[in-house]
Amino acid sequence: MLPEGFQHPSWPSKTMMAVWRLLVLCLVPAICDFQDHHGEVREWLVPSQELPLKTRGRYVVGKSGRRVLLACVNWYGASQRQMVMNGLDNQPASVMASRIVELKFNCIRLPFSLEMVLDNMSVPRPEEMLAANPELLGLSPMEVFDKTVTALTNVGLLVILNNHVSSAVWCCSGNDGEGLWHTERYPEQEWLRGLRLVARRYSKNPRVVGFDLRNEIRANGAILPTWGSGDVFTDWSIAAIKGAKEVLKEQQDLLIVVSGIHFGMRLSEVPNRPIHEEVPELHNRTVYTTHFYYGWSFDMMAYDRISKNIIILMFFACWLWVLLALDRESKNFRSFQAAPSSQEANFPWELRAAAAVLALQALLFAIGEYLGQSCGHVHIVSPPAFVVLSSWCFCISYVIWTRILVAYTLVLFTNFRNKDVQWRYSRPRDLPDDTLQMPVPALTIPRFTLAMCASESLVQPLRERKRFYATAALLLLLLLVVVGQKCGSYNNFRGELDACLGPLLSGEGVTPAPVWLSEFGTDVRDNYFNNIMRYIKENELDFAYWSINGEKRLNESETYGLLQDDNFAVRHPWKLEMLHDVMRRSWQKDVITQITQFQTSVATTAWSRTQRQQGRKDVRGEVTGVVLPVLAALAGWLAIMYGIQHSLISVPFLTGNQYEYFPIIATFVAGYAVIVLEEQTEINKARPRKAMPAMLTATSILTLVTHSVHGSQRQRKRLQNLQRKGKRKTQGQRALPRCVVFDLDGCLWSPEMYELSWDRGGAPFNYDAEGLMRDRRGCVISLHSGVEKALNELATDKKWKGVSVAVASCCDVPPWAFELLGKFEIGPSKMKMNELIAISQIHKGSKQGHLREIQSVVGCNFEDMIFFDNEPGNCQNVAGLGVTCIYCPDGVTSRVWSTGIEVRPCQKTYRWWFCQGRLVDFE
């Protein structure tokens, strides 16, 4: 800065100041363009020199021609009745922006409504909605939106605006009146005017790089949208061209994002009218966008239906097999009931109903599978319809088979089929004893009920054709397993998406264009999310996860959100890790090489055919390698139980009638035990479930045996590798950790925040004239003796370059902790603590949870982390992860810092299920 009153000998001061400001504006972005706390460029952010963006072939590129991956998240709220972004009630906009950068995203999709743009609206309940942003009180919704955009672009994020709805409501459904781009309240001209006003408003901000014209074009009641039909009322391609031209009049460098029809899914009709080819203004400007959620995938929902019911079906099959195996009587029986007709005797109505329900389910599946692989409009309706109808069919089947098998059990193991026994249990209690002198029963059961439950005519077809029904049950289970594997396979999932996106990705019949998956999300780690992430990776798609929000509405959690309700802590670390894996593979690749590879792949369709053939081989391999051994093991188990029941196999501890009942009890006990063991195994492994989870009890047995054999081999190799690494490290220099984590209260500073609240102290905090940090009541907050040395070394010593610094605290008042981190100064350069600390996990919860979230962001192993804490319970808790824990009851002192680093690398004891980290005691 120039001294006040400075005068150049020949230039006027105003001219000099203008030149100085110009130099600052030009040079500062070039020198300090989005650097992290160590001065290293954050490679995931797009530098200003690459703007504006454009498209080339299938990719978005910068000025240099290099690929720019749009790794985005959705941040919504302004398009709803609250009129502002979710999260501004508990986090400042600048903190939210910085948090998004910390999570390694480079752009934001911001939805807005026409209502907030065109009407004179105010923020409802501003004191609640903007509680963490008091400087925004009194502003209109659009002015709050302006401040939000500015906060995001100031930290280097790209912004893509999205006209989500016309009226400010939650989106989306088929009857909300918002399906088309025009509504009764906001006709097409108002929609175009709104687009123009928003584009003009941000035309001077170069980091607002794209405009999503409309969200999820879909049916509006009975009116279906079209593409290329020529109908100005329903043809979205005509309206998209109009909207794009209005936006480009105000800012000609924006990317134009065009949604597919039918909830944004269907881009397969773009070849009917490829507007990115036909309209000159849209050349190298058009990005097509699609959405894909779990509820829109027929195969994923069919897979889950089968997975959830396979155990129940297995139970009924085992029940039937046991009854057939134990039924040793002849097939000629004499019934006490009236003789049924020949047709009913051969095939009772219960069996006919069970066959009809099975046929109906097969028909529903065939229809849904066809629609799922064809990307038609009805495809959106087929998955939920299939779930509802198949659920009813399964329930009906369970009722019918319960009726049949209960009757079979009563006929086989009781005398209820005897007329005298039925008469005894069905006669009224007040009648005198008959000539048989039978006692009055304690329980009276209607004779009709007994006759229905113990109906020999119902079970007679099963007893006469044992092999047929046993084989039919086996084949049905085998069919369900094969179909379930096929539905849950990645090949089917890819087929669904290829049907909707294929032409733009493959270049069949149309010039390729970028496809942006701008909405997808989940709250569970399932096959859907694994498959969608694999599809993004294989096809190198730009994406925007739904969503960053911790809240759906005020005081209502967003379960799909990346952040928790406090809009800071990570909700699902595994989800963030999978997104980072995609981003690491695609950060600014050279698009020239990619286009060459793409053109080579377009020249022939043999590749796709090979993939389909390979998919079929995979399914056959799964049947041969998994299903057949499982069924063989199951058949072996049943054979052993049959041999025991018929005294063909001698068991020393069984006598007399115990041989008959032992197989039944053993089968159910063993099945239950294996299921419990498998669930515990999955929990211990802590990884996503494989295809057909908890499919068969015999599968569980084989899984446990396989893990035992191969696991021991892997364990030996792992120990050998560790020993070799340990020898190399002892011969050379000690390895430094990749991440250093500190607790706050009692570890870095004293007193703790809850102690300040007791004295009615706390924020604001400021340095006094003596250089002491004091709160509003004058209480001194001081750093421990070794903190400044440790942090200064981490910031300046070259050996620590590339090592991440984090804090993990269960502080009672997180905003006070954040303020102190932003005001404490370290070292001669007076660097703020928050400039050094890259990751902050300051919220209630377990320390294991904090360390897991930090580990997922850093991307290192727990063994490469070191943790300082003044609470022994926290250290013992975190040591279970394999982290080296330094217990420092007096906080971080110089001795604690120097000696704690010297003990690295720590010696660890590896066990079968876990590894325990080193706990160093400095008490």
Side-chain angles (χ1 to χ4, degrees), residues 646-922:
H646 290 272
S647 301
L648 301 177
I649 299 175
S650 176
V651 181
F653 56 84
L654 295 181
T655 59
N657 293 334
Q658 293 179 357
Y659 275 92
E660 295 187 8
Y661 299 106
F662 173 78
I664 302 174
I665 299 173
T667 299
F668 286 104
V669 172
Y672 177 76
V674 170
I675 292 173
V676 173
L677 286 175
E678 184 182 30
E679 291 298 325
Q680 186 60 41
T681 302
E682 293 296 325
I683 293 172
N684 289 330
K685 288 186 294 184
R687 62 189 185 191
R689 294 173 297 171
K690 295 185 177 181
M692 297 298 291
M695 183 175 60
L696 303 171
T697 55
T699 307
S700 307
I701 297 172
L702 292 181
T703 301
L704 292 177
V705 173
T706 304
H707 283 188
S708 300
V709 175
H710 295 285
S712 59
Q713 297 174 358
R714 290 195 301 268
Q715 188 70 6
R716 287 195 296 269
K717 292 181 180 178
R718 187 180 184 187
L719 288 174
Q720 293 172 359
N721 292 334
L722 286 170
Q723 291 171 359
R724 287 196 294 269
K725 291 180 180 179
K727 291 179 181 178
R728 288 197 297 268
K729 288 182 179 179
T730 55
Q731 295 172 358
Q733 187 179 4
R734 288 183 177 272
L736 292 173
R738 288 188 57 192
C739 182
V740 180
V741 187
F742 297 98
D743 182 35
L744 291 180
D745 287 353
C747 183
L748 292 188
W749 60 54
S750 292
E752 300 189 24
M753 296 298 101
Y754 77 88
E755 296 176 311
L756 297 179
S757 64
W758 285 354
D759 297 332
R760 297 185 179 179
F765 303 95
N766 292 291
Y767 279 111
D768 62 7
E770 299 177 357
L772 300 176
M773 181 67 71
R774 296 182 182 272
D775 70 350
R776 62 187 177 188
R777 290 184 61 85
C779 179
V780 176
I781 300 92
S782 59
L783 298 176
H784 289 288
S785 58
V787 173
E788 188 166 354
K789 172 188 175 182
L791 295 182
N792 190 50
E793 181 180 333
L794 288 168
T796 58
D797 196 329
K798 293 183 179 179
K799 73 177 182 180
W800 292 101
K801 184 177 181 180
V803 175
S804 300
V805 182
V807 294
S809 173
C810 299
C811 172
D812 290 84
V813 192
W816 293 1
F818 281 113
E819 183 175 342
L820 285 173
L821 291 176
K823 291 187 176 180
F824 267 122
E825 297 174 349
I826 302 297
S829 62
K830 302 297 183 182
M831 178 181 58
K832 300 291 192 297
M833 288 180 68
N834 63 357
E835 296 176 4
L836 169 65
I837 296 169
I839 306 167
S840 301
Q841 288 293 324
I842 307 175
H843 56 84
K844 289 295 184 182
S846 70
K847 285 299 174 72
Q848 271 202 10
H850 289 145
L851 269 291
R852 289 183 189 277
E853 292 171 356
I854 293 171
Q855 183 261 349
S856 68
V857 175
V858 176
C860 66
N861 297 324
F862 287 118
E863 292 82 358
D864 296 324
M865 301 174 69
I866 187 168
F867 175 57
F868 294 82
D869 199 304
N870 63 312
E871 294 288 341
N874 292 338
C875 291
Q876 293 173 1
N877 180 259
V878 173
L881 297 174
V883 177
T884 301
C885 298
I886 309 298
Y887 170 50
C888 42
D890 298 325
V892 177
T893 62
S894 297
R895 174 174 171 268
V896 166
W897 170 249
S898 57
T899 312
I901 296 301
E902 286 298 321
V903 301
R904 295 248 337 143
C906 64
Q907 302 298 322
K908 305 176 182 65
T909 302
Y910 284 88
R911 304 283 179 85
W912 175 245
W913 290 115
F914 64 93
C915 64
Q916 184 175 2
R918 176 78 175 273
L919 180 60
V920 184
D921 192 346
F922 280 93

Side-chain angles (χ1 to χ4, degrees), residues 569-636:
V570 176
R571 186 182 297 272
H572 299 129
W574 54 266
K575 191 186 304 177
L576 196 61
E577 182 180 350
M578 296 179 73
L579 291 169
H580 284 171
D581 182 54
V582 174
M583 291 186 276
R584 278 194 297 268
R585 293 173 178 267
S586 303
W587 280 331
Q588 298 194 4
K589 292 183 178 178
D590 190 342
V591 76
I592 305 300
T593 304
Q594 294 176 347
I595 291 176
T596 303
Q597 296 172 348
F598 170 75
Q599 291 173 344
T600 303
S601 66
V602 170
T604 178
T605 59
W607 179 87
S608 61
R609 288 196 298 269
T610 302
Q611 293 297 314
R612 300 296 187 271
Q613 294 170 0
Q614 183 62 40
R616 290 192 288 271
K617 291 179 181 178
D618 292 342
V619 174
R620 289 196 295 269
E622 290 172 350
V623 173
T624 304
V626 178
V627 177
L628 295 183
V630 164
L631 295 176
L634 181 61

Side-chain angles (χ1 to χ4, degrees), residues 317 320-321 324 345-348 351-352 401 404 408 458-476:
L320 174 62
W321 289 335
L324 294 174
N346 292 332
F347 209 59
L351 292 177
R352 292 199 298 271
W401 280 106
I404 296 172
Y408 200 168
L458 172 58
V459 302
Q460 185 172 349
L462 299 178
R463 308 181 77 181
E464 291 178 346
R465 306 182 66 184
K466 294 181 182 179
R467 293 181 181 178
F468 171 79
Y469 285 102
T471 305
L474 183 64
L475 293 177
L476 176 60

